[in-house]
């Protein structure tokens, strides 16, 4: 793992399912970063479940990876749209929800604070 801080991506091939899951686990623990695993067969299920985000690709190898994943895409070229379009939309929706959450709490809290101040904090 001494080389791990300098890498942006890791490709595992000709590995057992347990080894693939171990690579994801090591990167999660040592890098403290979000991991994305992409697989298309039953041998990728452990890796997909270990990663923060799992993407299954429909393929000839079966549906096990798709059933174990967070997102399913029909082919690898759909990954770009999943990450850059739907990922951005998700980011915007979560940001707006957080802003609404703070606004709602301020709207409900300030009238109580003003009423308590005007009534001299008497119960």
């Amino acid at each position: 793992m001494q080389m791990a801080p300098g890498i942006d991506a890791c490709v595992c091939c000709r590995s057992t399912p347990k080894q693939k899951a171990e690579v994801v686990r090591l990167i999660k623990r040592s890098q403290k970063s979000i991991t994305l695993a992409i697989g298309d067969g039953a041998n990728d299920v452990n890796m997909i479940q270990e990663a923060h985000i799992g993407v299954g690709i429909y393929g000839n190898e079966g549906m096990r990876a798709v059933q174990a994943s967070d997102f399913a895409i029909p082919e690898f070229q759909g990954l770009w749209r999943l990450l850059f379009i739907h990922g951005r939309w998700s980011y915007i929706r979560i940001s707006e929800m957080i802003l609404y959450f703070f606004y709602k709490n301020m709207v409900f809290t300030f009238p109580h604070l003003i009423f308590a101040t005007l009534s001299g904090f008497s119960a």
Side-chain angles (χ1 to χ4, degrees):
M1 288 309 301
Q2 287 116 6
M3 291 175 46
I7 63 172
D8 292 328
C10 177
V11 177
C12 297
C13 60
R14 298 291 179 204
S15 302
T16 65
K18 186 175 180 179
Q19 289 172 333
K20 292 178 182 180
E22 283 294 322
V23 168
V24 173
R25 190 174 301 120
L26 282 171
I27 291 174
K28 273 175 45 175
R29 289 186 182 155
S30 66
Q31 297 285 326
K32 304 278 194 267
S33 58
I34 304 295
T35 55
L36 169 76
I38 305 167
D40 66 344
N43 60 338
D44 298 323
V45 170
N46 294 339
M47 174 182 64
I48 289 172
Q49 290 178 339
E50 184 64 36
H52 290 106
I53 304 165
V55 177
I57 301 175
Y58 295 106
N60 298 332
E61 295 185 31
M63 297 288 289
R64 287 287 312 267
V66 172
Q67 292 170 345
S69 65
D70 300 316
F71 300 98
I73 55 176
E75 50 193 20
F76 195 75
Q77 70 182 15
L79 185 64
W80 183 89
R81 184 169 183 193
L82 176 68
L83 292 177
F84 292 109
I85 295 175
H86 294 289
R88 183 173 188 276
W89 289 347
S90 177
Y91 177 78
I92 290 170
R93 284 191 298 262
I94 289 172
S95 300
E96 288 176 353
M97 189 270 307
I98 290 171
L99 288 174
Y100 175 73
F101 175 77
F102 284 121
Y103 170 75
K104 176 186 67 93
N105 285 332
M106 287 189 330
V107 166
F108 285 132
T109 304
F110 280 139
H112 291 286
L113 184 63
I114 292 169
F115 178 75
T117 305
L118 294 175
S119 65
F121 295 101
S122 62

